[in-house]
Amino acid sequence: MERISLNEGGWQSRLVGEIDGEALEAIRNFATVEEAVVNEEKSQDGEMVTDLYFYHYKDVLQDTPRIAELAGIPPENTAYHHELLALYLVRDPQDTAPRLLFPLFLLIVALASFSLVIIIHNSFAVSMNARIHQFGIFSSIGATPKQIRTCLLQEAASLCALPLFVGSLLGVAGGMGLILLTNVLLRDAVQGRHESSPGYHPLILAATLLVAVATIWLSAWLPARKLSRLTPLEAIKNTGELQLRRRKSSPILSLLFGVEGELAGNALKAQRKALRTASLSLLFSFMAFTMMQCFFSLTAISTRETYFERYQNVWDIYATLKDAQVESFPETEELQGLAGVESAIVYQRAAARRLITEAQISEEMKSFGGFSQAPGQYVTQVQDGWMVNAPLVILDDNSFLAYCEQVGAAPRLDGAVVMNQIRDVTNPDFRHPVYCPYLKKDSLGEAPVSVLRQSGSEDVTAEVAVLAYTEQVPALREEYATLDYYELVHFIPASLWREIGGQLGGTNEEVCICVLGREGAALEELNALQAQIHAIVSKNHAAESENRIQKYDSNNTMFQGMMAVFGGFCVLLALIGMGNVFSNTLGFVRQRKREFARYMSVGLTPTSLRKMFCIEALVLAGRPILITLPLAVAAVGAMLKLSYVDAGEFLAQAPLVPIAVFMLAIVACVALAYSLAWRSIRKISLAEVLRDDTML
């Protein structure tokens, strides 16, 4: 949030258009608006930009259209700070970016916190239930239920006070240390990364302690209340042995393992409440880990295909200049003449509109409905046709002339080249889009002219000669018609923009430089070239630059970092489950001895008892695996369908090894817990157990 606010501003929504003083004051007095500020930097060429700040983020999407209507601003001239809003879990349906990382992070944290609360409660319940006999004796000599509850709560307080205080301080110190360590490790690895500032507000510490105390108090009070309600006779004769209220059969275990399977099934059902934390934690941990691995693998495939591989032969160095204009940028020829540079294109973006008539629409476009499915925020129907967005990409003169030769147009600086293609909007597969001609070339005349209109004020026009309509685009790291499928992109030279820019306005405040180095250039060579370019362009402008190989490495580093964070939470969940398994298997040794002695008294051998123990461990470890795998397959199938990634391509890079390792770790830890418990139980003295007068 801090990085976004510093780099892009903390505004939540934005209005583009003229707003008089009275309307601006009315906006500032709007009940949910904290502040409305005219953005002087963004307001250029007579186009006023007003940034809106709200008291509550939940009001942004609901009230911005109302405010725009109040100010007389059309809906298409409103914008939302989607990246910032998503971090406050406010999503605009028009935002096509998935932005799933933060919700996924919150989900895993919530699961971890819930599991921790459950295991604390379960630990107190196990400890107190083991002492029912003792408190029955206290009750028989006059201890009241209130005194028993007070005694148990005091024990809980004395047990948890020091760990709670020390753990909180260590958590704060560890968190700050982790942030500082992350800053040090990633300072050079991730270029342009905004460093985090460690901080911990005292109110957050107070809230943490309050929640922890409430958790401990409730976790201790619930079993203490239940225990204090037992009569002295019930408490004294209690064996502590877990028993089923009603016997249930386990047909699958009986079929697979015989009598031992039936007994193991009954034992697991009797321990269902005690093992609930373990079952949920192991299930959530394995499911979260599996989903995380599949999600990041799918994301990595998508990023590589749609970004790095797609633009591999387009750019090696990419620089952006703040507050610059392409038509008055003097260093273009110097950049294009650098050693090791195959091409260097300096360009800038601008906004414009254009009228499309019915006669100009191609037959292929008409076949999928023409403009019938176009959203009103992008396409406006007027009397003579449809008004569409016509973004301008302003190339430096040399690059534009080279582009004209590439598409077979006359190399002139007094016209535009129009990208004449549109995606079939009825085909939802965005990864493999089907394109067709946008306009009919025979309907445009022998000397076609494009009448461009100022965005937001269509009465202001500029006529531009069209040198060619083509499906080829310049070698730029740009995507066209991704959000607005109906935009008609125009490529024009800087010389022409110098003439018509005053009429159309609306240029982006950044000048972009796309440089392609020699084929096969290594990282060291690109770093040196990047330093040369940065030294040239940063003389008169604030500049940022990046190179393709370093960005690819940084992207991989960030993916690994995110996977480490999410994987850490998954491991924490697994450890919670393992801790509960060890707590139950080792904490109920006395009760299991009674149970096994009863089985031995009716003829079961130690070998059969060991087999029963193994079946319990197998079921406890195998249940989360058997539940997770089908769900994971279904979820991955849904993700593949939504992302249009081929199943074979995903399977070739599926994270099968880490998932298998995590699965085997669960099985091994459960097996270890039951192995240690068996070592304590196996030496059963039947006579000694039967002499115990509490044996029922």
Side-chain angles (χ1 to χ4, degrees):
M1 294 172 183
E2 181 179 310
R3 176 186 60 80
I4 293 171
S5 297
L6 287 175
N7 293 346
E8 304 174 18
W11 58 279
Q12 289 125 41
S13 63
R14 177 173 282 170
L15 305 178
V16 181
E18 288 300 323
I19 301 176
D20 57 34
E22 184 178 348
L24 185 60
E25 190 62 29
I27 294 173
R28 288 171 175 163
N29 292 330
F30 204 86
T32 57
V33 173
E34 181 180 10
E35 187 59 80
V37 180
V38 177
N39 192 321
E40 301 294 344
E41 293 184 3
K42 298 287 184 180
S43 301
Q44 296 179 357
D45 302 320
E47 195 172 62
M48 182 177 175
V49 176
T50 305
D51 293 339
L52 302 182
Y53 300 81
F54 291 78
Y55 289 106
H56 304 291
Y57 279 81
K58 62 182 180 63
D59 298 323
V60 176
L61 299 180
Q62 179 181 354
D63 289 342
T64 298
R66 299 176 183 175
I67 295 170
E69 184 179 359
L70 175 68
I73 302 296
E76 60 268 18
N77 283 10
T78 60
Y80 298 96
H81 203 163
H82 291 132
E83 189 175 4
L84 183 61
L85 292 176
L87 294 178
Y88 289 91
L89 303 182
V90 177
R91 288 303 310 271
D92 181 6
Q94 300 298 326
D95 181 18
T96 57
R99 308 189 196 280
L100 296 176
L101 284 180
F102 191 51
L104 181 63
F105 173 79
L106 291 180
L107 176 62
I108 295 177
V109 171
L111 291 176
S113 301
F114 176 74
S115 299
L116 284 169
V117 170
I118 295 298
I119 196 173
I120 291 171
H121 164 70
N122 188 72
S123 298
F124 279 113
V126 170
S127 174
M128 292 179 183
N129 285 332
R131 301 168 60 195
I132 291 178
H133 187 75
Q134 174 191 351
F135 283 103
I137 297 174
F138 290 166
S139 180
S140 68
I141 61 175
T144 65
K146 182 178 180 181
Q147 288 174 325
I148 292 176
R149 285 197 302 270
T150 302
C151 173
L152 291 171
L153 292 174
Q154 287 175 345
E155 286 185 9
S158 62
L159 177 67
C160 298
L162 184 62
L164 176 60
F165 179 73
V166 174
S168 297
L169 294 181
L170 288 176
V172 174
M176 292 184 174
L178 183 61
I179 291 175
L180 294 174
L181 180 62
T182 303
N183 288 337
V184 172
L185 293 177
L186 298 184
R187 184 172 294 147
D188 298 326
V190 181
Q191 189 179 26
R193 177 182 177 272
H194 174 68
E195 293 193 352
S196 303
S197 300
Y200 200 79
H201 198 282
L203 290 178
I204 301 297
L205 177 61
T208 303
L209 293 174
L210 180 63
V211 171
V213 169
T215 299
I216 293 169
W217 185 82
L218 281 173
S219 299
W221 184 80
L222 289 174
R225 176 172 172 268
K226 179 181 177 182
L227 193 141
S228 66
R229 288 184 170 184
L230 293 175
T231 65
L233 184 60
E234 288 175 326
I236 290 175
K237 75 175 185 178
N238 187 278
T239 63
E241 186 177 345
L242 296 171
Q243 296 182 355
L244 281 172
R245 293 183 181 179
R246 186 175 60 184
R247 295 289 174 179
K248 297 180 180 179
S249 62
S250 302
I252 297 178
L253 292 180
S254 299
L255 179 64
L256 295 176
F257 304 107
V259 175
E260 293 85 354
E262 180 73 23
L263 294 176
N266 287 331
L268 288 172
K269 291 170 185 174
Q271 300 175 78
R272 183 171 51 192
K273 287 186 177 180
L275 291 172
R276 184 175 295 162
T277 302
S279 299
L280 290 176
S281 297
L282 293 177
L283 174 62
F284 287 150
S285 65
F286 186 57
M287 183 177 295
F289 185 82
T290 303
M291 296 301 297
M292 177 203 69
Q293 289 287 337
C294 294
F295 173 80
F296 280 112
S297 296
L298 189 59
T299 304
I301 292 172
S302 180
T303 303
R304 187 181 65 252
E305 286 186 354
T306 60
Y307 188 80
F308 291 106
E309 291 182 357
R310 178 178 179 181
Y311 297 113
Q312 183 173 357
N313 298 321
V314 170
W315 75 286
D316 286 317
I317 310 294
Y318 193 84
T320 55
L321 312 181
K322 304 291 185 181
D323 302 321
Q325 297 296 322
V326 64
E327 71 272 19
S328 58
F329 183 69
E331 291 90 359
T332 300
E333 293 187 0
E334 183 179 0
L335 292 173
Q336 293 171 341
L338 286 175
V341 172
E342 286 197 9
S343 69
I345 303 177
V346 181
Y347 69 100
Q348 193 170 22
R349 310 176 194 90
R353 304 271 282 175
R354 174 174 165 173
L355 178 68
I356 303 297
T357 64
E358 176 74 26
Q360 293 175 331
I361 303 175
S362 69
E363 295 301 324
E364 292 86 349
M365 182 177 173
K366 288 180 180 178
S367 67
F368 59 77
F371 290 105
S372 61
Q373 302 184 56
Q377 59 181 322
Y378 300 128
V379 178
T380 307
Q381 188 167 9
V382 295
Q383 183 177 0
D384 298 328
W386 294 269
M387 195 69 69
V388 302
N389 291 321
L392 306 179
V393 180
I394 310 161
L395 307 177
D396 68 87
D397 290 348
N398 293 335
S399 299
F400 183 79
L401 293 174
Y403 176 51
C404 288
E405 293 181 1
Q406 176 187 344
V407 300
R412 296 160 42 191
L413 297 176
D414 59 349
V417 175
V418 180
M419 187 181 77
N420 186 34
Q421 71 174 12
I422 186 171
R423 173 185 162 184
D424 181 357
V425 297
T426 61
N427 175 24
D429 187 352
F430 63 89
R431 196 174 299 279
H432 309 97
V434 177
Y435 292 103
C436 66
Y438 197 142
L439 306 177
K440 289 190 294 188
K441 295 183 181 180
D442 57 359
S443 68
L444 304 173
E446 295 183 0
V449 173
S450 179
V451 180
L452 299 174
R453 302 167 187 266
Q454 187 182 103
S455 180
S457 180
E458 280 80 9
D459 295 334
V460 181
T461 63
E463 290 191 0
V464 176
V466 178
L467 305 180
Y469 284 92
T470 181
E471 297 178 358
Q472 299 183 52
V473 296
L476 301 176
R477 198 186 72 178
E478 292 287 328
E479 291 185 347
Y480 311 102
T482 53
L483 189 60
D484 176 10
Y485 299 149
Y486 297 88
E487 65 183 20
L488 192 63
V489 183
H490 288 56
F491 300 96
I492 65 173
S495 297
L496 179 59
W497 179 251
R498 194 177 292 114
E499 299 175 9
I500 66 173
Q503 298 167 257
L504 298 178
T507 56
N508 189 290
E509 70 277 6
E510 290 184 347
V511 166
C512 304
I513 304 173
C514 185
V515 178
L516 180 65
R518 70 172 186 83
E519 186 175 355
L523 177 60
E524 295 76 12
E525 185 177 343
L526 292 186
N527 285 336
L529 182 59
Q530 181 183 0
Q532 284 183 277
I533 294 172
H534 190 80
I536 293 172
V537 301
S538 62
K539 295 176 183 177
N540 303 313
H541 304 282
E544 295 179 357
S545 62
E546 58 189 6
N547 73 60
R548 179 178 52 81
I549 298 179
Q550 189 176 59
K551 189 173 181 63
Y552 182 73
D553 292 341
S554 298
N555 183 73
N556 290 338
T557 301
M558 287 187 286
F559 264 109
Q560 292 167 5
M562 287 187 290
M563 291 180 69
V565 172
F566 288 120
F569 279 110
C570 296
V571 170
L572 175 61
L573 280 173
L575 289 177
I576 291 170
M578 299 306 177
N580 188 256
V581 172
F582 278 92
S583 173
N584 280 278
T585 54
L586 300 179
F588 288 104
V589 167
R590 180 170 173 266
Q591 291 88 334
R592 299 307 298 269
K593 280 185 177 181
R594 296 176 183 278
E595 177 190 353
F596 281 12
R598 188 170 66 248
Y599 292 150
M600 291 178 65
S601 68
V602 295
L604 245 68
T605 64
T607 302
S608 297
L609 295 179
R610 185 171 64 247
K611 179 181 178 182
M612 174 182 162
F613 239 42
C614 293
I615 296 170
E616 288 185 31
L618 179 63
V619 172
L620 189 60
R623 185 182 295 151
I625 297 172
L626 292 177
I627 293 175
T628 296
L629 290 180
L631 292 176
V633 170
V636 169
M639 287 191 287
L640 291 175
K641 185 177 180 181
L642 289 173
S643 59
Y644 296 96
V645 173
D646 184 65
E649 184 180 3
F650 173 78
L651 289 175
Q653 304 177 52
L656 300 179
V657 173
I659 291 174
V661 169
F662 197 89
M663 181 172 62
L664 291 176
I666 291 177
V667 174
C669 288
V670 173
L672 176 62
Y674 272 85
S675 175
L676 294 175
W678 172 250
R679 290 181 60 185
S680 301
I681 293 174
R682 63 182 178 178
K683 297 178 181 179
I684 301 174
S685 174
L686 187 59
E688 181 181 342
V689 175
L690 292 176
R691 282 199 303 266
D692 192 335
D693 59 0
T694 62
M695 179 79 176
L696 293 181

